[in-house]
């Protein structure tokens, strides 16, 4: 039997918030992967269920008991342009639930057919984007980045029409909330303040109960959302993650990474890297992610401003003050994280700490200039994090990541001087650094290879192998070196696609 402890609180908000929709039946569901660990963690019971029963359910052919499937309404700024009505066009919330600890989660099928909000779309997903989201979101979770999770992936046995015919797939994903900035915008744009308030109350109840006691809970709610978003984007920056399509409808109010479309991890470092084929002006380039976060939060502020104070001017001032806290909060998270990546964790004299930002930036500039791999640079720095390297060869592996090594050699010297102010010994510092500088990330060419094998040859072994390595991103795994390596020139993936 399958038991999901549904609570269906979103359903209770009433029909201004969604349109009830059943997933479409598909021809021949096949289970690619089911995340048993996550199911267990959430208190989803799948006792004695056969693989094909799981496939039927997570393909949407059979709804679990207690499900109340619906498509959520939302609006959003897409590449800066407001669309008052987007909504779940190819996703269906089958219900929200509560885990053993009372935490709320939403369960959503993506790629399960048309809804009221599909516009011209078919409501389907191709297999490629399903595998991509599964790999990327689970890798992010294991890297310790707040994210939606993947519960199941299935094939549909049907084809979807894109530039060419492609096998169809459906992913089941779990979020602390699928409410987005765009959900607030949907009601604000209609002047429906009552629903804005109802939505805010729902979010507080479900995701931020700690703000209930505040003088004005909505003020604390907004501050918490801003803080969480700043922390999230700092984490993205620290692992070289580029979301690719940070529209306001793709920004969760729960501070999780959501909507894995044309996202990608960088190989060699470039501040302005863009992968998404539709991001022609680089609006969502790597370095633009922090300011875009603020831009999106400003749209949220506009939507909820009447809740922040009785008086209009006072409300605007409160919103401004909270928005002004975003940049310093972001920088604090970024700096703390980057310092840790370099083994700088001791409380040192201000005069010394003041130079850390410049030290980090100079490393990033040298990396950019000499095309050094982002992930491997930090990994190898963890390995050579010694005050006095016993042989200069120890630095060679690191040096070889750079087109030429003069600048990095100089930088290493400065860094080691700085390390002499740290309290930990080499061994302890190295261990700390290795715990936050990953060995494995879902590299684009590996993800692409997994998709190609599945789509073209019906071979899912490449997907499974890659997935398994990414379960332990911080631990060097025997015989898995190829997952560590950057692409060869002919393997480089220059562009990623939404696949919609
Ligand atoms: P995205 O940029 O992928 O987050 O999608 C933006 C909007 O387009 C959302 O409202 C989606 O539901 C909708 N959408 C994307 N792909 C499809 C599709 N294949 N069929 C229907 N709607 C879609
Ligand atoms: Mg989206």
């Amino acid at each position: 039997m399958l038991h999901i402890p549904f609570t269906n609180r979103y359903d209770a908000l009433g029909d201004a918030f969604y349109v009830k929709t059943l997933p479409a039946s598909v021809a021949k569901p096949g289970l690619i992967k089911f995340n048993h660990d996550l199911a267990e963690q959430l208190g989803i019971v799948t006792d004695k269920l056969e693989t094909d029963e799981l496939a039927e359910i997570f393909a949407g052919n059979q709804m679990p008991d207690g499900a109340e499937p619906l498509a959520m309404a939302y609006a959003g700024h897409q590449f800066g342009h407001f669309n008052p009505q987007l909504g779940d066009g190819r996703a269906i919330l089958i219900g929200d639930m509560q885990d053993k600890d009372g935490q709320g989660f939403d369960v959503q099928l993506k790629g399960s057919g048309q809804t009221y909000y599909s516009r011209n779309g078919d409501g389907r997903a191709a297999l490629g984007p399903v595998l991509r989201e599964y790999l990327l979101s689970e890798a992010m979770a294991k890297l310790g980045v707040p994210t939606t999770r993947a519960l199941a992936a299935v094939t549909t046995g049907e084809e979807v029409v894109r530039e060419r015919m492609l096998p169809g797939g459906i992913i089941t994903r779990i979020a602390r909330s699928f409410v987005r900035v765009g959900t607030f915008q949907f009601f604000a744009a209609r002047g429906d303040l009552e629903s804005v308030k109802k939505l805010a109350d729902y979010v507080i109840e479900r995701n931020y109960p700690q703000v209930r006691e505040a003088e004005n809970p909505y003020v604390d709610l907004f501050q918490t959302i801003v803080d969480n978003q700043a922390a999230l984007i700092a984490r993205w920056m620290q692992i070289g993650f580029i979301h690719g399509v940070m529209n306001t409808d793709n920004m969760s109010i729960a501070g999780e990474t959501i909507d894995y479309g044309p996202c990608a991890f960088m190989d060699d470092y470039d501040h302005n890297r863009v992968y998404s084929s539709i991001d022609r002006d680089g609006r969502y380039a790597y370095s633009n992610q922090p300011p875009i976060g603020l831009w999106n939060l400003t749209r949220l502020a506009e939507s909820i401003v009447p809740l922040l104070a009785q008086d209009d001017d006072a409300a605007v001032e409160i919103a401004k003050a909270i928005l002004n806290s975003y940049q310093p909060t972001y920088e604090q998270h970024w700096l703390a994280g980057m310092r840790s990546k370099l083994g700088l964790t001791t409380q040192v004299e201000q005069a010394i700490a003041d130079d850390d930002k410049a030290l980090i930036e100079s490393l990033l500039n040298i990396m950019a200039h000499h095309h050094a791999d982002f992930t491997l640079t930090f990994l190898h720095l963890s390995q050579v994090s010694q005050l006095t390297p016993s042989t200069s060869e120890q630095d060679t592996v690191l040096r070889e990541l750079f087109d030429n090594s003069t600048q990095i050699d100089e930088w290493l010297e400065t860094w080691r001087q700085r390390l002499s102010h740290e309290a930990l010994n080499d061994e302890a510092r190295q261990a700390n650094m290795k715990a936050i500088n990953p060995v494995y990330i879902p590299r684009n060419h590996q993800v692409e290879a997994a998709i190609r094998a599945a789509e073209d040859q019906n071979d899912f072994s490449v997907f499974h192998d890659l997935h398994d390595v990414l379960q332990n991103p911080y631990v060097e795994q025997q015989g898995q070196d190829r997952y560590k390596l950057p692409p060869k020139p002919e393997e480089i993936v220059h562009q990623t696609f939404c696949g919609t």
Side-chain angles (χ1 to χ4, degrees):
M1 68 154 213
L2 176 83
H3 173 69
I4 302 182
F6 285 119
T7 43
N8 298 330
R9 299 256 170 81
Y10 203 79
D11 181 62
L13 287 176
D15 53 16
F17 290 78
Y18 53 76
V19 176
K20 295 241 182 194
T21 315
L22 277 173
S25 283
V26 302
K28 198 170 173 297
L31 191 70
I32 303 166
K33 190 152 189 73
F34 184 75
N35 194 339
H36 288 280
D37 289 349
L38 180 64
E40 193 173 322
Q41 222 174 295
L42 293 171
I44 294 178
V45 182
T46 56
D47 279 357
K48 300 204 180 81
L49 267 194
E50 300 291 334
T51 300
D52 41 344
E53 290 174 286
L54 283 173
E56 285 286 326
I57 292 165
F58 293 103
N61 281 5
Q62 199 182 302
M63 278 293 92
D65 285 347
E68 288 286 352
L70 57 86
M72 293 167 76
Y74 55 82
H77 276 89
Q78 299 180 300
F79 291 91
H81 302 287
F82 188 63
N83 186 331
Q85 184 168 304
L86 292 164
D88 287 334
R90 65 173 156 169
I92 291 176
L93 180 78
I94 64 168
D96 52 77
M97 53 158 285
Q98 213 166 51
D99 75 358
K100 289 168 274 189
D101 307 323
Q103 290 278 354
F105 290 95
D106 291 358
V107 186
Q108 188 190 67
L109 303 190
K110 185 171 175 182
S112 52
Q114 285 179 319
T115 75
Y116 175 78
Y117 303 107
S118 295
R119 292 168 289 158
N120 299 321
D122 60 0
R124 303 287 186 178
L127 182 56
V130 166
L131 298 180
R132 195 180 172 75
E133 174 152 355
Y134 201 111
L135 288 170
L136 272 282
S137 62
E138 285 304 296
M140 290 285 266
K142 302 296 165 163
L143 286 163
V145 183
T147 176
T148 60
R149 301 291 306 270
L151 180 67
V154 300
T155 48
T156 59
E158 294 176 5
E159 291 197 309
V160 295
V161 189
R162 296 294 181 261
E163 301 84 54
R164 57 190 175 106
M165 299 295 275
L166 291 168
I170 296 173
I171 184 164
T172 303
R173 51 185 198 167
I174 307 286
R176 288 195 180 270
S177 179
F178 280 110
V179 174
R180 305 131 193 274
V181 168
T183 321
F184 282 95
Q185 289 182 292
F186 180 87
F187 296 106
R190 284 160 180 74
D192 180 358
L193 184 58
E194 200 185 312
S195 295
V196 170
K197 186 167 178 297
K198 207 166 169 184
L199 185 63
D201 289 336
Y202 170 80
V203 167
I204 290 172
E205 200 59 35
R206 228 155 147 275
N207 297 105
Y208 300 106
Q210 72 273 22
V211 308
R212 270 182 307 205
E213 306 307 321
E215 200 184 313
N216 179 338
Y218 306 115
V219 172
D220 282 36
L221 170 67
F222 184 47
Q223 181 72 66
T224 312
I225 293 173
V226 168
D227 292 348
N228 287 350
Q229 200 61 42
L232 176 68
I233 296 178
R235 287 294 289 131
W236 291 356
M237 301 302 277
Q238 286 154 12
I239 51 170
F241 177 77
I242 305 167
H243 182 284
V245 56
M246 289 175 71
N247 293 334
T248 57
D249 54 304
N250 291 337
M251 186 188 270
S252 155
I253 54 83
E256 291 182 329
T257 313
I258 181 182
D259 273 16
Y260 290 83
C263 58
F265 278 76
M266 264 197 275
D267 294 304
D268 63 302
Y269 181 74
D270 173 0
H271 208 56
N272 298 316
R273 180 79 85 225
V274 175
Y275 286 101
S276 169
S277 62
I278 54 170
D279 191 4
R280 292 200 187 84
D281 303 321
R283 180 181 169 89
Y284 301 136
Y286 173 75
S287 58
N288 273 353
Q289 299 186 119
I292 286 291
L294 179 59
W295 195 92
N296 289 347
L297 291 164
T298 309
R299 305 289 82 78
L300 177 60
E302 289 163 359
S303 306
I304 62 167
V305 73
L307 302 180
L308 301 180
Q310 295 268 320
D311 175 69
D312 288 355
D313 293 341
V316 170
E317 287 312 310
I318 292 170
K320 275 191 192 159
I322 294 175
L323 289 170
N324 283 339
S325 73
Y326 171 86
Q327 184 62 19
T329 304
Y330 166 77
E331 277 186 21
Q332 208 181 337
H333 283 287
W334 180 84
L335 191 58
M338 293 307 286
R339 289 177 89 242
S340 301
K341 280 176 84 71
L342 292 179
L344 310 178
T345 53
T346 306
Q347 188 83 37
V348 290
E349 279 171 48
Q350 199 56 46
I352 297 168
D354 281 348
D355 292 340
D356 285 351
K357 192 173 176 203
L359 182 73
I360 296 161
E361 280 170 352
S362 98
L363 172 65
L364 293 173
N365 284 336
I366 300 169
M367 286 163 67
H369 214 100
H370 297 286
H371 304 101
D373 186 81
F374 184 85
T375 307
L376 291 186
T377 299
F378 287 100
L379 176 66
H380 292 322
L381 281 172
S382 318
Q383 286 155 358
V384 302
S385 176
Q386 291 163 295
L387 290 191
T388 39
S390 37
T391 61
S392 62
E393 276 90 83
Q394 284 186 299
D395 287 345
T396 304
V397 198
L398 172 74
R399 279 209 195 107
E400 281 174 351
L401 297 173
F402 294 75
D403 288 346
N404 99 39
S405 68
T406 357
Q407 281 188 303
I408 192 65
D409 282 343
E410 276 171 32
W411 185 89
L412 281 171
E413 223 169 280
T414 320
W415 177 52
R416 287 190 170 121
Q417 273 161 20
R418 171 65 183 82
L419 287 181
S420 66
H421 299 284
E422 289 293 307
L424 295 180
N425 64 30
D426 287 349
E427 209 179 318
R429 185 176 53 251
Q430 286 181 14
N432 281 352
M433 289 176 71
K434 284 179 187 167
I436 54 163
N437 289 316
V439 184
Y440 308 103
I441 51 156
R443 292 190 182 267
N444 302 324
H445 67 296
Q446 301 284 7
V447 173
E448 190 58 29
I451 292 173
R452 289 275 60 80
E455 274 189 357
D456 301 344
Q457 273 118 44
N458 197 30
D459 170 8
F460 290 86
S461 65
V462 188
F463 164 80
H464 289 295
D465 289 349
L466 177 57
H467 171 272
D468 292 351
V469 169
L470 293 169
Q471 290 281 292
N472 272 307
Y474 295 105
V475 182
E476 195 98 30
Q477 296 164 45
Q478 278 254 315
Q480 306 292 14
D481 265 7
R482 71 202 145 105
Y483 292 108
K484 202 171 130 178
L485 298 177
K488 300 192 186 92
E490 69 275 16
E491 291 173 331
I492 297 175
V493 174
H494 295 280
Q495 270 199 328
T496 52
F497 302 87
C498 283
T500 54

